Amino acid sequence: MITPGQRMPIVIATRPVDFRRGHDGLAATVQNELGLDPHSGLTVVFRSKRGDRVKILVWDGTGLVLVYKRLDEGRFAWPAVQDGVMRLTRAQFEALFEGLDWRRVTPRRVRRPETAA
């Protein structure tokens, strides 16, 4: 699978989109409706109305990559439907893509070790 970059943001477009849209239509949605740059390396996750399908749009530096996944059973866990986007950590994104409840993945802050005396 093509994975998003470590440093680039990953966002969910919280409102379902028409899944007949392809690369250009989704890139236009990112730019015109979400106010983001689809060519910045940003990873945008789109949801279907039924919630069992996901499209992921990523700019890899040479072109737009579109990943499509449909779960055989069940639905993806989604945030409440509203306008705008919601940011995900890489771990949350990976859980979402696997069909797991990404809301149970909580980011941990690792404290810097103190120097030994």
Side-chain angles (χ1 to χ4, degrees):
M1 172 185 151
I2 297 169
T3 58
Q6 288 277 2
R7 295 186 188 104
M8 294 311 231
I10 303 166
V11 296
I12 293 178
T14 55
R15 185 165 301 284
V17 297
D18 181 350
F19 258 46
R20 295 174 290 183
R21 290 184 186 177
H23 296 77
D24 295 331
L26 292 174
T29 298
V30 171
Q31 186 170 356
N32 301 328
E33 294 178 28
L34 303 177
L36 301 171
D37 181 4
H39 300 98
S40 66
L42 174 77
T43 298
V44 184
V45 179
F46 295 97
R47 64 178 287 177
S48 66
K49 289 180 183 175
R50 285 191 238 162
D52 64 340
R53 291 170 281 163
V54 65
K55 281 190 175 181
I56 302 163
L57 188 68
V58 182
W59 172 260
D60 73 352
T62 60
L64 286 171
V65 178
L66 184 61
V67 178
Y68 175 89
K69 183 171 183 175
R70 181 186 69 213
L71 290 178
D72 286 335
E73 295 179 16
R75 299 178 190 277
F76 291 99
W78 296 108
V81 173
Q82 59 189 10
D83 289 332
V85 295
M86 189 184 107
R87 194 166 182 163
L88 291 179
T89 66
R90 185 179 177 102
Q92 289 170 326
F93 168 79
E94 290 173 0
L96 171 74
F97 192 78
E98 291 299 321
L100 303 172
D101 189 350
W102 58 270
R103 296 169 292 197
R104 294 179 177 239
V105 177
T106 56
R108 283 192 194 167
R109 297 258 184 222
V110 177
R111 290 191 313 180
R112 186 177 201 160
E114 296 177 22
T115 58

